[in-house]
């Protein structure tokens, strides 16, 4: 049997994402709803939903 490693591995460096959150497109009901859900989620501390809303807004089915 071998001895376990007793030293730490080098730290993993993750990229820093400084992209702004997407803005809702004027007149698009889907974008406005996602922005409203995102605001309520942020107020409630639900950052997972905030992130999900940002992804959905970026991948909007109408291409904006």
């Amino acid at each position: 049997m071998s001895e376990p490693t007793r030293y730490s591995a080098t730290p993993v460096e993750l990229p820093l994402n400084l992209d702004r959150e997407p803005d809702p497109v004027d007149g698009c009901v889907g974008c406005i709803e996602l922005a409203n859900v995102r605001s309520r989620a942020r107020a409630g501390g639900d950052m997972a939903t905030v992130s999900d809303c940002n992804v959905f807004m970026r991948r909007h089915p109408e291409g904006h």
Side-chain angles (χ1 to χ4, degrees):
M1 182 186 312
S2 64
E3 287 292 315
T5 304
R6 303 224 185 263
Y7 55 89
S8 298
T10 57
V12 175
E13 292 187 34
L14 300 176
L16 179 61
N17 188 356
L18 297 176
D19 293 340
R20 285 182 358 124
E21 289 186 333
D23 294 323
V25 174
D26 291 333
C28 177
V29 177
C31 285
I32 293 169
E33 179 61 24
L34 285 169
N36 290 336
V37 171
R38 179 176 65 187
S39 294
R40 289 190 303 269
R42 181 175 285 111
D46 184 1
M47 298 311 287
T49 300
V50 170
S51 177
D52 289 346
C53 288
N54 288 337
V55 170
F56 290 140
M57 287 177 78
R58 284 189 184 99
R59 295 182 182 174
H60 195 279
E62 295 180 19
H64 29 262

